[in-house]
Amino acid sequence: MNDLKTHLAPYWPGLQEEEMEALCHFSSLLEEANQHISLTAIRDPQESAVKHFWDSLAFHQALALQGGESVLDLGSGPGFPGMVLAIMNPGTSFTLVDSVGKKTAFLQETAKALGLKNVSVCQGRAEGLGQDPRYRGAFDVAVARSVAWLPTLSEYLLPFLRVQGLMAVSKEAPWEEEASASKSAIDLLGGAFLKAIPYELPLYGNQRSFLFYRKVKETPEAYPRREGVPLKRPLS
Ligand code: SAH
């Protein structure tokens, strides 16, 4: 049985019935698929409700999209936060990217099963897509959760944004050190720190923060560097 609703409802009393239904549908598709292919290590229903769904809803709240934006979720995995954001923002278009085919296949099937017209799915790596003119500079907002250390992640995300676009990532505390160690890398890539929104996961107590950066100038053409380099030799 999928009891996402039981776990989520107390925290999100404002969720519309259709939104809750879609989230529950997504959760049961994930639970079912995860029995055959490994999409997430989190299998406990309460843990999934909090660490995947509650957390992605918090991301939604922090982003406060207006509608009409184009949003990239890089390294979406089984769809966090991207699929939840797409459910909550039907007037915004989402591109969910992951390098692993079984994950993008799941994302594709899920978007279809949920009837989400605002989702496109793309299998590929940030390093290649960030140099592809169809994707580079094409997004208003780029998000990621649990993908990489901030200097690497910024090299993945900032090239995708148009100037004035927004990069939003969620990070485990302590994030201050990671943010200050990334300052010159982010500056080089054209980003500028905007704000941090700290929060705490219910029940589990993890301290996390949403970090927001504005793209203030074009990313130099050399970035992202070729596959594997941003991870192996992060900018400093
Ligand atoms: N955002 C999801 C998944 C995090 S796991 C969540 O929070 O649950 C990190 C995901 O990023 C994995 O699915 C991995 O395949 C993907 N990934 C890592 N490096 C990548 C890259 N360079 N380009 C595209 N996807 C990448």
Side-chain angles (χ1 to χ4, degrees):
M1 195 191 80
N2 189 297
D3 43 9
L4 180 73
K5 190 172 176 177
T6 323
H7 294 298
L8 275 188
Y11 298 106
W12 299 95
L15 280 181
Q16 308 288 315
E17 208 167 305
E18 318 83 75
E19 292 166 345
M20 183 65 93
E21 257 170 44
L23 294 170
C24 289
H25 191 178
F26 171 31
S27 175
S28 44
L29 292 171
L30 175 58
E31 196 181 309
E32 158 68 20
N34 210 34
Q35 289 169 7
H36 313 289
I37 42 170
S38 175
L39 294 167
T40 169
I42 297 178
R43 289 166 193 280
D44 176 65
Q46 176 180 286
E47 196 178 352
S48 172
V50 173
K51 294 191 178 170
H52 284 331
F53 287 88
W54 186 98
D55 194 52
S56 298
L57 285 168
F59 214 136
H60 158 67
Q61 200 170 52
L63 269 177
L65 295 165
Q66 304 295 303
E69 302 93 340
S70 58
V71 180
L72 171 81
D73 180 22
L74 192 268
S76 193
F80 302 108
M83 195 69 76
V84 172
L85 295 177
I87 289 169
M88 299 302 294
N89 297 277
T92 296
S93 62
F94 290 85
T95 301
L96 313 186
V97 169
D98 205 281
S99 54
V100 177
K102 68 177 180 182
K103 295 184 179 174
T104 51
F106 171 75
L107 293 171
Q108 194 84 63
E109 284 156 23
T110 301
K112 195 172 167 210
L114 296 180
L116 294 173
K117 305 263 184 288
N118 58 335
V119 172
S120 342
V121 177
C122 172
Q123 184 192 354
R125 292 191 61 91
E127 299 92 319
L129 296 171
Q131 291 290 1
D132 181 330
R134 287 172 300 169
Y135 294 93
R136 189 180 178 91
F139 294 90
D140 302 308
V141 180
V143 303
R145 192 186 80 155
S146 311
V147 174
W149 160 250
L150 200 47
T152 303
L153 192 54
S154 309
E155 187 170 349
Y156 289 164
L157 291 180
L158 285 165
F160 287 108
L161 292 172
R162 61 170 176 78
V163 173
Q164 291 308 314
L166 192 70
M167 169 171 109
V169 301
S170 82
K171 285 277 159 197
E172 288 282 339
W175 54 269
E176 288 89 345
E177 200 182 315
E178 193 172 335
S180 63
S182 315
K183 204 181 167 309
S184 50
I186 293 178
D187 184 46
L188 169 69
L189 294 162
F193 180 72
L194 205 58
K195 61 179 174 180
I197 305 180
Y199 68 104
E200 184 182 311
L201 278 191
L203 302 172
Y204 298 89
N206 307 48
Q207 304 285 324
R208 315 192 101 211
S209 188
F210 297 113
L211 305 184
F212 286 81
Y213 293 84
R214 176 82 60 210
K215 179 156 168 175
V216 291
K217 55 181 196 282
E218 290 294 350
T219 303
E221 277 174 22
Y223 306 104
R225 291 166 292 168
R226 63 175 202 285
E227 194 175 317
V229 180
L231 182 64
K232 255 181 262 151
R233 286 195 283 117
L235 293 169
S236 57

